[in-house]
Amino acid sequence: MAKPYSSGHIGQVAANFTDMRISGQVKHDLVDLMVAELDRLVPQYEADTIAADAGRKTLGDVERTRLNYNRTRELLIERISELDSVGSSAVQMAIDDLETYLAGIIRRAESAAEKNRVGTIKPRHLAAAIAEISAPVPGMDGGVEPDLLGSSSVGEDHDDSEAGIAEALGGGQVLTPRTLRQMAKQFAGMAVTDEALEELLLLYYDVVEETEYALRTGITAENPEPFVDHLSKLQDLMRLGWMRRILKRSGEIALERGYKRVDIEQVVNLDPFA
């Protein structure tokens, strides 16, 4: 028989979701709860897998196709230089980050295809998506000068960690759950669940896309004020001012309701364009 999770391991995982100490007995009880939940879930997993493909012999996720675990692990092993091996948590982290990156690329390529009024993402749309992600941030690396935006464009109280993440984004990287996780607890004032982080990423890219579209359509307008306003908003997004505000508001709502962490419920009830 397979061994159940160790209470120590379950305790470490559970500690991600609370700032409180977890007693030894609770850790043991959580192991039993996790195994009991698997007893409930596995029959449903099997039924769903067979319903999707009656000839399939391997349990799978019928909701989506994930990046191959073993292939991702091999690629990680091939690229590490300072460490000796790759743990399963690192593989799962890489899969999450790669799929988030892939989603960002595809969303942008899809948007480019829609602008061309075609139903197929073609190489030129992918090239446009890559160029969009790799473009310099306004006001950074030789882009539009910050003083063109006025004194109200972006707050000046960014700390070192925020500046480092913004610098990474300016270098063409996509905001991922890992980079977001680095700032979430600091800005929200409490822990933030993975589901809330995923929703925040989707909202972030939606707002960026809307702002970029407004910027492109307003560049030829006779009145430059809306263009400057949208440029200011885009700079604020890229420097993560929007993310800091949305996390702070989510944390305030969670605190008012007596929660110990920000969950997806607090995020979906916010107006991302406010």
Side-chain angles (χ1 to χ4, degrees):
M1 292 179 61
K3 292 182 179 179
Y5 301 109
S6 72
S7 59
H9 175 64
I10 288 294
Q12 288 179 329
V13 175
N16 292 315
F17 309 122
T18 180
D19 293 327
M20 294 186 176
R21 179 181 173 275
I22 302 174
S23 73
Q25 184 58 51
V26 169
K27 293 175 184 178
H28 284 289
D29 292 343
L30 286 173
V31 172
D32 294 337
L33 285 172
M34 294 300 100
V35 174
E37 181 66 2
L38 275 178
D39 290 339
R40 184 187 70 85
L41 290 173
V42 170
Q44 185 61 52
Y45 289 161
E46 285 188 307
D48 291 343
T49 300
I50 294 171
D53 184 357
R56 184 165 181 165
K57 300 300 181 183
T58 302
L59 187 68
D61 183 354
V62 298
E63 297 296 327
R64 60 180 296 189
T65 298
R66 304 299 303 263
L67 287 176
N68 182 273
Y69 181 95
N70 289 331
R71 185 61 54 84
T72 303
R73 180 176 178 274
E74 290 169 2
L75 289 168
L76 287 174
I77 291 173
E78 191 176 71
R79 283 158 176 77
I80 59 174
S81 58
E82 304 296 327
L83 300 171
D84 298 329
S85 60
V86 172
S88 60
S89 60
V91 180
Q92 292 165 356
M93 175 179 64
I95 289 174
D96 285 343
D97 286 348
L98 285 170
E99 289 184 351
T100 300
Y101 175 78
L102 176 62
I105 289 283
I106 291 299
R107 278 197 295 269
R108 285 166 169 76
E110 181 184 53
S111 178
E114 288 175 348
K115 289 180 176 66
N116 289 164
R117 299 182 179 181
V118 297
T120 302
I121 295 176
K122 298 184 177 181
R124 66 176 182 272
H125 304 134
L126 179 60
I130 294 172
E132 183 179 338
I133 287 177
S134 301
V137 178
M140 301 172 66
D141 299 328
V144 179
E145 292 297 326
D147 57 7
L148 295 178
L149 305 177
S151 59
S152 62
S153 60
V154 180
E156 298 178 354
D157 56 343
H158 301 288
D159 59 21
D160 292 339
S161 62
E162 184 179 350
I165 297 170
E167 182 179 354
L169 293 175
Q173 297 180 18
V174 175
L175 186 62
T176 67
R178 183 171 58 178
T179 56
L180 184 55
R181 220 173 269 119
Q182 292 173 5
M183 72 180 88
K185 187 172 182 180
Q186 176 188 353
F187 291 167
M190 61 179 65
V192 183
T193 66
D194 289 343
E195 292 80 5
L197 290 177
E198 183 177 351
E199 183 66 21
L200 276 170
L201 279 174
L202 294 174
L203 286 175
Y204 175 80
Y205 285 121
D206 284 345
V207 175
V208 168
E209 184 176 352
E210 289 288 334
T211 305
E212 288 177 339
Y213 177 76
L215 191 64
R216 287 194 297 268
T217 56
I219 197 169
T220 57
E222 294 183 2
N223 182 8
E225 186 173 344
F227 172 79
V228 174
D229 180 56
H230 292 312
L231 191 60
S232 175
K233 289 180 180 178
L234 183 61
Q235 186 183 44
D236 184 47
L237 283 162
M238 294 305 179
R239 289 183 175 178
L240 304 179
W242 177 91
M243 187 65 73
R244 180 173 56 179
R245 289 193 301 275
I246 207 85
L247 279 167
K248 183 177 180 180
R249 283 157 56 195
S250 299
E252 290 171 350
I253 293 173
L255 190 61
E256 289 172 0
R257 298 180 179 180
Y259 297 154
K260 297 297 184 182
R261 61 181 183 270
V262 173
D263 208 340
I264 190 171
E265 177 186 349
Q266 288 82 59
V267 176
V268 298
N269 289 325
L270 292 174
D271 181 2
F273 297 97

